[in-house]
Amino acid sequence: MTDQPVRIRPEVAVLPAYKQGRQAAADAFKLSSNENPFPPLPGVVEAVQAQTAYNRYPDASAIALRAVLANRSGVTVDEVHVAPGSVAILHELARAVSAPGDEIVYAWRSFEAYPGVVTVAGATSVQVPNRADGGHDLDAMAAAVTERTRMVLVCSPNNPTGPTVTSAEFDAFMAQVPTSVLVVLDEAYAEFVTAPDAVRGVPLLEQYPNLVVLRTFSKAYGLAGLRVGYALGPAYVLDAVRACAIPLSVTAQGQAAALASLERESELLERVAHLTQRRDLVVSALRGQGWDVPDAQGNFVWLPTGDHTPVAAEQFERAGIIVRAFGTEGIRISIGEHEAVEKLLETARALVEGLTTAVPTRPLR
C-alpha cells in the first residue's frame, strides 16, 4: 500500500455524511425520521410481492408511474421525473444546473441534506436565516440571488421547523427571481398541509417556466423503505436531470408500490387526516405547556430548545421517545403512533417545567 492517500476533494473531505434519525429499541417510539406510523395501504404489499423478476432490470424510465403522475398533475409524461426519493432529485438538479463558482440559495435551517447537495455538485451554499417564526424569509432569499445563482430551494412546509410558504409570498418571490434561475419547491410533506393559504406547486407549473416541484412517496404514502420520489417541471430541465441520474435506480418493487398506493387515494387521505388531527392536538398541548411551537404543517413538530437541545433529547430518549436533535437549535419530533402521544406530552411537560425553573429567562418559550 502507498503512503500517499487518495486525493479527496477538500470540501467533500470535511462534509459530514447525512445523519439518519436514530433507530429505536423495541420498547421505544422512533419519532426521529418523519416516517408514517401506518403500514402500507391494503394491496400495496401484494403489488410489491408480485414483482418477482429479481434477475431483470426495472423499467429505467418508470413510464407507467410517470404516466399516472402526469395524468393526475395535468402535465405531459416528459414533465415528470421519477427517482429513488426526492433527495436524489435534489442531487440531480444541482448537478444539472450548477458548477464550481455557481451558487445555490436556500433557507436555514431547512432540510439538512441541502448543504451536502450543493457541495457535492461543486457549487457554493448561500444560506438565508429563517424568520423568527421558523418560516422562510423569501424577501431576503430573493435579495441573495446574484448573477452566480443557479438554483433556489424553497421548502414548504419547512423541514424541520414546520411553517409553510403562503401563495402570496411565493408569487411575490417568483416576481423577483430571474427566469434564468431554477426555483425548486420542495413539497415532501404537501399531503399534510391544512393551511388554506399555503402555496401549492402543481397549479403554478404553467405560470412559472423556471419552477420544478418535488414530491415523495416516503412520507404520506408510507413507502420510505422503497425510495420513490418524483419531480414535475419543464421537460428540458427534467431531461437534463435524467442525464445526471443513476440509471435503473428505482426498483420495480418501488414503482409497483407507488402505483398501488395511488389507486387507493381515499384510504390514504383518511390516514393523513388522522395524522394531521394528531399533530394539531400535540401542538395545542405543547403550547399549553408553555412551548413556543411554530406553525406545524408537516407530520412533525419543532421545539426550539436552543442550548438545552442535547439535554432535552436525552430526556426524551430516557422516556422511550427517540427524537431528532439539531445541534443547539432545537428538536424535531415526528407524529407517530397514537400510543406515543401521552408519553411525548408527559416528557415535554416535565422538560419545559424543569428547564424554565432552572433558567429564569425561560429560553424555551
Side-chain angles (χ1 to χ4, degrees):
M1 296 180 62
T2 178
D3 292 332
Q4 295 182 346
V6 173
R7 294 181 180 179
I8 304 295
R9 286 168 51 196
E11 64 272 25
V12 172
V14 298
L15 180 67
Y18 176 79
K19 183 180 179 183
Q20 183 183 16
R22 285 192 56 189
Q23 301 298 313
D27 59 345
F29 293 101
K30 183 188 176 190
L31 305 183
S32 57
S33 294
N34 292 349
E35 296 159 330
N36 192 322
F38 290 103
L41 290 162
V44 173
V45 172
E46 291 78 6
V48 171
Q49 292 173 338
Q51 299 296 317
T52 58
Y54 299 114
N55 59 317
R56 303 297 183 188
Y57 288 117
D59 173 12
S61 66
I63 190 64
L65 178 55
R66 287 168 60 200
V68 171
L69 292 171
N71 183 62
R72 288 167 58 93
S73 305
V75 300
T76 69
V77 171
D78 289 338
E79 292 171 315
V80 183
H81 172 59
V82 174
S86 56
V87 69
I89 305 175
L90 285 167
H91 278 280
E92 294 160 3
L93 284 163
R95 292 197 297 269
V97 302
S98 63
D102 295 333
E103 296 176 345
I104 296 177
V105 176
Y106 54 91
W108 198 250
R109 175 172 289 275
S110 193
F111 181 31
E112 63 183 302
Y114 290 163
V117 164
V118 177
T119 299
V120 170
T124 299
S125 283
V126 177
Q127 297 182 345
V128 178
N130 284 321
R131 301 182 309 234
D133 65 359
H136 284 14
D137 186 342
L138 288 184
D139 287 336
M141 291 176 68
V145 173
T146 69
E147 292 183 355
R148 297 172 60 188
T149 306
R150 297 294 176 265
M151 185 164 73
V152 182
L153 304 175
V154 178
C155 188
S156 181
N158 187 45
N159 173 22
T161 56
T164 60
V165 170
T166 69
S167 293
E169 289 171 340
F170 191 75
D171 286 337
F173 169 75
M174 292 299 287
Q176 301 176 69
V177 177
T179 56
S180 59
V181 174
L182 179 66
V183 175
V184 179
L185 182 58
D186 188 347
E187 292 188 309
Y189 300 91
E191 292 85 359
F192 300 101
V193 174
T194 55
D197 61 347
V199 65
R200 297 287 182 175
V202 176
L204 300 178
L205 289 169
E206 189 172 350
Q207 181 177 349
Y208 298 117
N210 57 329
L211 175 64
V212 167
V213 176
L214 298 186
R215 303 291 289 270
T216 184
F217 287 92
S218 295
K219 308 303 180 185
Y221 288 90
L223 302 181
L226 288 172
R227 312 302 301 130
V228 184
Y230 63 98
L232 305 171
Y236 78 95
V237 173
L238 297 186
D239 283 343
V241 168
R242 285 184 272 270
C244 296
I246 298 174
L248 303 159
S249 56
V250 180
T251 66
Q253 291 74 26
Q255 294 178 53
L259 285 167
S261 296
L262 290 170
E263 293 173 356
R264 294 156 175 82
E265 186 171 49
S266 60
E267 297 161 272
L268 170 77
L269 294 178
E270 288 180 9
R271 292 181 171 189
V272 169
H274 283 300
L275 290 174
T276 56
Q277 291 168 8
R278 193 175 303 165
R279 174 199 68 197
D280 293 346
L281 288 172
V282 168
V283 169
S284 178
L286 289 171
R287 287 174 176 168
Q289 294 174 1
W291 290 99
D292 184 14
V293 181
D295 185 30
Q297 290 292 312
N299 65 337
F300 53 87
V301 297
W302 173 256
L303 299 184
T305 45
D307 291 339
H308 304 291
T309 297
V311 172
E314 182 180 350
Q315 189 158 330
F316 275 112
E317 184 172 352
R318 286 201 301 267
I321 301 290
I322 308 302
V323 299
R324 188 65 169 271
F326 291 84
T328 56
E329 297 173 62
I331 287 173
R332 188 193 69 198
I333 307 176
S334 307
I335 301 302
E337 295 83 352
H338 173 75
E339 295 78 10
V341 172
E342 183 176 355
K343 183 177 291 189
L344 161 63
L345 294 177
E346 287 178 356
T347 307
R349 180 183 296 107
L351 180 62
V352 72
E353 289 175 354
L355 290 179
T356 54
T357 298
V359 184
T361 55
R362 303 176 73 81
L364 305 180
R365 291 183 178 284

